[in-house]
Amino acid sequence: MADACCSPPPLNLDRHRDNKAYRRVLWAVLAINAVMFLAEIGAGLAAGSASLQADALDFLGDAANYAISLLVVGMALRYRAAAALAKGLTMGAFGLWVVGTVVWHAAHGTLPSAFTMGAVGVAALAANVASFGLLWAYRKGDANMRSAWICTRNDVLGNIAVLLAALGVFGTGTGWPDVIVAAIMAGLALQGAVVVAQHSTAELRTRTA
């Protein structure tokens, strides 16, 4: 993390402009995230799970982010950096929304379905591991590429946390593990937003200097 934030941007960042292989990868992960959003939002609402709903909206946000990445992948670096900054702000907004969801579920003492959380959590983890593998080769590209990879990295961690929450709900008979995991996911989104914003701002300054 430190070397990515403190060292100067590589001089040849623009080599990723209009990368056709990356474009194909983005189409694949866009499809994965769109399908998983539809599946998980329905399951999250039916199960009354804050963490599943948060994860579903994360899938939706990622699908939108990948769509933006596809739109700007052929553009100059300054436009890709600007798009990455917009995605960072979106990630931050998502984190704040999840904080509100956590407060609501904590106040109402919601008891989600542990079985549904576990089953959907496994499917979501498989989808995000596939996306993670596809994006791995582009994790050190420009800010736009980094933002896509960071989103997927956070999703994998979030899915593991959802599975742990399902075990916690099953074992304790309370909704607190679900609420705690949703709060952790909010923290991941906010942390990722800061990292993406830092990289994109650095690239924008480099191109305008």
Side-chain angles (χ1 to χ4, degrees), residues 29-30 33-34 37 58-68:
V29 295
L30 171 59
N33 279 265
F37 162 70
D58 197 22
F59 272 118
L60 177 62
D62 288 347
N65 285 340
Y66 298 138
I68 293 172

Side-chain angles (χ1 to χ4, degrees), residues 50-209:
S51 59
L52 279 184
Q53 291 175 49
D55 200 37
L57 287 174
D58 197 22
F59 272 118
L60 177 62
D62 288 347
N65 285 340
Y66 298 138
I68 293 172
S69 294
L70 277 166
L71 179 66
V72 302
V73 71
M75 296 182 180
L77 180 62
R78 65 179 179 275
Y79 297 115
R80 284 180 275 140
L85 179 58
K87 289 191 287 183
L89 296 175
T90 301
M91 291 168 66
F94 161 75
L96 294 175
W97 183 90
V98 175
V99 169
T101 300
V102 167
V103 172
W104 189 91
H105 281 274
H108 289 79
T110 306
L111 179 61
S113 168
F115 176 78
T116 302
M117 289 175 63
V120 177
V122 168
L125 178 60
N128 278 318
V129 167
S131 298
F132 184 86
L134 289 169
L135 290 166
W136 176 262
Y138 305 99
R139 68 193 184 281
K140 293 183 179 179
D142 58 38
N144 191 48
M145 289 182 171
R146 289 194 193 106
S147 67
W149 183 76
I150 287 172
C151 284
T152 305
R153 179 206 64 182
N154 287 353
D155 290 346
V156 171
L157 296 175
N159 294 148
I160 294 172
V162 168
L163 292 175
L164 293 176
L167 290 174
V169 170
F170 178 79
T172 64
T174 70
W176 281 109
D178 181 58
V179 169
I180 292 170
V181 165
I184 293 172
M185 293 172 72
L188 284 172
L190 293 172
Q191 183 267 345
V194 171
V195 173
V196 171
Q198 287 176 337
H199 284 301
S200 56
T201 300
E203 287 183 7
L204 285 170
R205 288 174 179 170
T206 299
R207 302 308 292 181
T208 56

Side-chain angles (χ1 to χ4, degrees), residues 8-76:
L11 296 178
N12 60 340
L13 278 173
D14 217 34
R15 71 187 186 279
H16 296 297
R17 185 175 180 177
D18 203 21
N19 186 317
K20 291 182 173 56
Y22 183 57
R23 190 186 293 273
R24 289 193 294 270
V25 166
L26 284 176
W27 275 114
V29 295
L30 171 59
I32 290 171
N33 279 265
V35 170
M36 284 308 304
F37 162 70
L38 294 174
E40 199 169 26
I41 192 64
L45 292 171
S49 169
S51 59
L52 279 184
Q53 291 175 49
D55 200 37
L57 287 174
D58 197 22
F59 272 118
L60 177 62
D62 288 347
N65 285 340
Y66 298 138
I68 293 172
S69 294
L70 277 166
L71 179 66
V72 302
V73 71
M75 296 182 180

